[in-house]
Amino acid sequence: RVAKRRMRDFTSQHLSNFIWALARLAYKEDTDLFQEFCMMSNSRMHEGTPQHLSNIAWAVSQLGPEHFPGCLSAVVAETARRLSEFDAPSLMMLSDSLFDARYSEGPGDNLLGVLRSQIVQMGSELFRIFTEGLPPRRSLASSTQIATYQQQLRSLGLVTFGYEHTHSLFSELRLAEGQRWDPAEASAMPGWTTNARRSTCARRYDLRVGPAMIQDQGSVFTSAFASSADDAACDFVVTWLGHGKSDAQVTGRASRSGDAECRAIVDAHELITKAAMEHGASEVRG
């Protein structure tokens, strides 16, 4: 009631923080409050920072865009107008939110295309790094190769590449072949979590390693804290993104984004390596 009465006094930051808090609490009881918020925020989009706009888009996607008429369109229009002000994390958060909200542009409206063009460029650079700049396994790579690879990744400024675009990138890298997961099927598996502080992925494979068949009908992997020592022990070159590790080199944690997928890939590599050694095989198909 207090928010309704005083919302006209809210700054852009107040509006962003308020709706973000409601989304974190999953508060959906007062749709009239959402209408009031929508009216005020739409009129003040030009005052918002990139983080404010991204937070609003995320909150609207969680609370239901049907309760916020015109809000996502206003965010997209303001973002397209000020695209140069957005850093990579804010842009990806906005993209994920629009994807969650199933937002689509109107006929003849190219604003969403303006946003996606920036993400496509980042995706092309990631593909180049992962195909041309990927170093050998840690035991075979030189310190220069590792440092160059990590510097190239960090220079993009990304912390995550988003749900929608990560799958597209994995498809290009041939890491998402075969039958695609149905989201409902994956999220119904034991161990799947919707904890906002964790990311989760489901993995399955059907492979032939020499004469042996190895299969996984479905396993769930969840992100977790990982120290620099954990990274150094991995056969692959792990690159932390964000500030956690730089602040605490020994006990620091990596950004959670992508950690679940990383754990799934590393685990699959270890299983394939074990099967190959047991059967004296080097050819893997599937």
Side-chain angles (χ1 to χ4, degrees):
R1 291 195 297 269
V2 173
K4 279 184 179 179
R5 189 170 65 248
R6 302 191 57 185
M7 196 169 291
R8 292 181 182 277
D9 300 328
F10 282 16
T11 65
S12 175
Q13 182 174 351
H14 293 152
L15 290 167
S16 172
N17 291 349
F18 175 69
I19 200 64
W20 178 86
L22 291 185
R24 286 301 302 269
L25 293 170
Y27 178 85
K28 302 181 180 181
E29 283 72 22
D30 191 345
T31 55
D32 289 339
L33 176 63
F34 295 165
Q35 295 285 332
E36 181 70 18
F37 167 84
C38 191
M39 181 179 68
M40 295 307 303
S41 65
N42 286 2
S43 66
R44 294 185 177 176
M45 287 293 176
H46 63 284
E47 300 175 4
T49 67
Q51 184 177 355
H52 295 163
L53 297 175
S54 297
N55 285 349
I56 289 173
W58 176 81
V60 169
S61 74
Q62 301 303 303
L63 295 171
E66 66 275 11
H67 302 308
F68 301 85
C71 191
L72 288 180
S73 295
V75 170
V76 170
E78 188 62 25
T79 302
R81 187 178 71 83
R82 297 160 50 195
L83 196 58
S84 62
E85 299 177 23
F86 277 70
D87 60 12
S90 295
L91 193 60
M92 291 313 310
M93 181 178 176
L94 175 58
S95 176
D96 264 358
S97 300
L98 295 176
F99 179 69
D100 280 347
R102 294 178 172 83
Y103 176 84
S104 60
E105 59 189 346
D109 184 357
N110 194 42
L111 295 178
L112 194 58
V114 173
L115 305 188
R116 291 189 180 278
S117 66
Q118 299 295 310
I119 297 171
V120 168
Q121 289 179 22
M122 289 188 283
S124 298
E125 182 60 15
L126 280 174
F127 182 81
R128 186 198 66 77
I129 293 172
F130 289 144
T131 54
E132 300 175 15
L134 191 68
R137 300 198 309 272
R138 187 178 291 277
S139 58
L140 303 175
S142 68
S143 57
T144 300
Q145 286 176 309
I146 293 175
T148 299
Y149 167 69
Q150 293 179 329
Q151 190 279 327
Q152 287 179 329
L153 278 178
R154 291 174 185 148
S155 67
L156 290 174
L158 288 168
V159 177
T160 173
F161 196 48
Y163 312 124
E164 176 185 13
H165 304 289
T166 294
H167 182 81
S168 297
L169 178 62
F170 273 30
S171 296
E172 288 187 70
L173 293 169
R174 300 184 65 186
L175 292 174
E177 296 183 334
Q179 182 183 357
R180 184 171 181 175
W181 281 106
D182 178 88
E185 178 188 3
S187 60
M189 293 174 60
W192 189 272
T193 179
T194 56
N195 186 333
R197 296 182 180 275
R198 295 285 184 268
S199 61
T200 309
C201 80
R203 180 202 68 188
R204 60 185 169 198
Y205 55 74
D206 187 354
L207 302 169
R208 179 179 291 278
V209 182
M213 291 293 298
I214 61 173
Q215 294 179 313
D216 178 10
Q217 298 301 320
S219 298
V220 169
F221 291 80
T222 302
S223 63
F225 297 157
S227 69
S228 296
D230 294 330
D231 291 350
C234 182
D235 199 23
F236 294 106
V237 177
V238 177
T239 304
W240 56 266
L241 304 174
H243 302 292
K245 289 290 180 65
S246 60
D247 294 338
Q249 290 293 329
V250 177
T251 60
R253 63 181 185 180
S255 165
R256 68 174 180 82
S257 300
D259 184 57
E261 292 86 347
C262 178
R263 291 173 186 274
I265 292 171
V266 170
D267 182 75
H269 168 71
E270 292 174 350
L271 292 170
I272 293 169
T273 300
K274 180 181 178 181
M277 292 180 65
E278 288 176 351
H279 297 282
S282 59
E283 185 178 19
V284 180
R285 294 173 179 260

